[in-house]
Amino acid sequence: MSEECVPAEYAEMDLIEAKRFDKKVRENFMPAITSTVKQIIEDYGALEGVCVDVGCGTAIFAIELCKHSRLKIYALEKEKAISEVARMNIEKERLADSIIPVLGDAHDLPFASDFADFIVSRGSYHCWEEKVGVFKEIYRVLKKGGIGFVGGGFGRYVSEEESNRMKSLRDHSLKENAKAYRSPDKLRAVICKADIANFRIIHDKAGLWAELKK
Ligand SMILES: C[S@@+](CC[C@H](N)C(=O)[O-])C[C@H]1O[C@@H](n2cnc3c(N)ncnc32)[C@H](O)[C@@H]1O
């Protein structure tokens, strides 16, 4: 993984750094997580079946989604220490029956084809080295009739004040070339190259997202 694609703070963390990362997300970005989950439930209804969260971090998002759905969530993360903190968070919430931490890479998803009813990925896209390949993987793993929701942002339910505060924190930590991936045209081009026809780009207050349907 090249340095430019993975923000330094995610690459090869040890457990102490991963716990610090977890604390930082909780302190600074919780409104974005609750807002995006609220939006997902409002837009896609009572979700059930199998979900994969690609680039789940410490599973804060997966835990919130689990609490508002009947999904069984496979929380995939490539950094070992972050995945370990995800496992601890899931156990602390007593959700180990519903959320399974999986150590793995988005470029080679360790799931069978047509496995998931819902695939979500928030805030991980800018890190992927071979974005077309990851979208192909996501589409392969999606079941017929399934939905993918991939992108980044704070969801439509954050206040303007929260949004501005989180934007400045996020932009401060992102490298310039990661910011460039916030272009809807680039995202559309990547998905077209992955030979996915049934999708739409959402670029609004909620952030920049791709909704995939199979
Ligand atoms: C900004 S965090 C987002 C975490 C979580 N999705 C959220 O919404 O809070 C991005 C995460 O994606 C992970 N990631 C980056 N590239 C990945 C890859 N190729 N495969 C799996 N995870 C990846 C990073 O290690 C990091 O934990």
Side-chain angles (χ1 to χ4, degrees):
M1 229 357 106
S2 66
E3 267 251 349
E4 318 83 69
C5 289
V6 180
E9 67 265 35
Y10 308 142
E12 288 164 27
M13 281 187 181
D14 64 22
L15 201 58
I16 291 170
E17 287 167 317
K19 283 185 179 166
R20 205 175 292 144
F21 168 62
D22 181 64
K23 189 166 176 267
K24 208 166 104 185
V25 175
R26 286 177 194 283
E27 285 174 357
N28 297 321
F29 294 102
M30 267 328 277
I33 287 169
T34 51
S35 156
T36 305
V37 168
K38 188 172 176 201
Q39 172 174 336
I40 286 173
I41 300 305
E42 189 170 291
D43 291 355
Y44 301 118
L47 289 168
E48 56 184 5
V50 171
C51 169
V52 175
D53 182 354
V54 179
C56 68
T58 56
I60 302 171
F61 185 89
I63 287 168
E64 182 70 13
L65 182 60
C66 182
K67 287 180 178 171
H68 291 87
S69 70
R70 298 180 62 195
L71 291 164
K72 176 150 195 162
I73 304 175
Y74 291 80
L76 179 111
E77 171 57 48
K78 78 171 179 55
E79 290 296 327
K80 201 169 172 209
I82 297 182
S83 184
E84 181 55 20
V85 176
R87 190 189 58 74
M88 291 174 190
N89 286 340
I90 292 161
E91 280 178 9
K92 216 180 289 168
E93 296 280 349
R94 299 181 185 277
L95 290 173
D97 288 343
S98 306
I99 310 178
I100 296 104
V102 178
L103 188 61
D105 195 317
H107 296 78
D108 184 17
L109 291 174
F111 306 107
S113 300
D114 307 315
F115 175 70
D117 300 276
F118 188 68
I119 300 185
V120 66
S121 182
R122 194 191 82 93
S124 187
Y125 164 79
H126 66 275
C127 302
W128 304 338
E129 197 165 75
E130 220 281 277
K131 295 178 186 1
V132 173
V134 176
F135 271 99
K136 280 187 176 169
E137 273 295 90
I138 287 174
Y139 212 61
R140 176 186 68 76
V141 169
L142 204 56
K143 263 185 203 166
K144 200 165 168 26
I147 292 170
F149 192 62
V150 177
F154 306 142
R156 69 170 86 100
Y157 292 106
V158 287
S159 68
E160 207 175 319
E161 193 190 338
E162 283 169 337
S163 176
N164 289 339
R165 182 185 58 77
M166 292 187 289
K167 260 185 203 151
S168 90
L169 285 164
R170 178 192 65 187
D171 291 351
H172 185 69
S173 69
L174 275 188
K175 294 192 174 162
E176 282 311 313
N177 75 330
K179 287 179 200 166
Y181 289 113
R182 270 198 234 126
S183 146
D185 290 340
K186 276 193 184 160
L187 181 56
R188 187 176 295 107
V190 164
I191 300 171
C192 287
K193 263 196 185 162
D195 283 331
I196 298 169
N198 197 357
F199 76 94
R200 75 183 171 111
I201 302 292
I202 302 159
H203 189 213
D204 58 17
K205 186 188 174 202
L208 174 59
W209 295 90
E211 179 194 74
L212 318 175
K213 288 194 172 164
K214 190 167 172 184

